[in-house]
Amino acid sequence: MPEHPLKVIMDKDPELFSLLENMRELSFADGGIPLKYKFLIAMALDAANGAVDGVKVLAIQAMETGATKEEVMEAIRIAQYIFGVGSVYTAARALNDVL
C-alpha cells in the first residue's frame, strides 16, 4: 500500500492533520447525498484541479460504494463542461488502470 499522501503533515503537525481528518469525516458522513455521489463530486473536483492521484483514489472509492464506470465517466463529463478539457486529460491519466 502506498504511503499516505499527507504523511509529512501527520508527522510534523498532527494537530493540523487531525483537523483535516475531522473535515474529511464530516464531508463524507451519512447525510442527504449518498456516499458514492460524494466521492464522484470530489473526484470531479480533483479532475478540475489536476490532481491525478486524487481522481484515481476517489474513482476507486466511488466504485467500491456502488458507482458504475458509466457514472464515473459522467462525472468527468460534468467536470469538463464546467472546467474544461484539462479535467479530461487529468482523468485519463488517473483512470487508465482503473476503468
Side-chain angles (χ1 to χ4, degrees):
M1 182 171 193
E3 185 175 284
H4 193 287
L6 297 178
K7 184 173 181 345
V8 67
I9 303 301
M10 292 166 70
D11 294 344
K12 303 301 180 193
D13 194 344
E15 186 176 356
L16 174 59
F17 182 75
S18 178
L19 289 171
L20 294 170
E21 281 297 292
N22 288 341
M23 192 64 217
R24 183 189 62 77
E25 289 172 11
L26 177 63
S27 298
F28 291 99
D30 287 335
I33 299 174
L35 187 56
K36 75 173 183 177
Y37 296 123
K38 291 180 181 187
F39 285 130
L40 290 171
I41 292 167
M43 182 201 67
L45 292 169
D46 267 1
N49 283 301
V52 174
D53 291 340
V55 171
K56 183 175 185 174
V57 168
L58 289 161
I60 291 168
Q61 290 175 315
M63 289 187 294
E64 287 175 345
T65 56
T68 65
K69 293 177 181 181
E70 292 77 18
E71 288 172 322
V72 169
M73 290 310 304
E74 286 186 31
I76 297 304
R77 286 181 179 195
I78 294 167
Q80 187 280 329
Y81 174 69
I82 301 296
F83 291 99
V85 73
S87 304
V88 178
Y89 280 88
T90 297
R93 290 195 323 259
L95 300 174
N96 194 38
D97 297 328
V98 175
L99 297 181

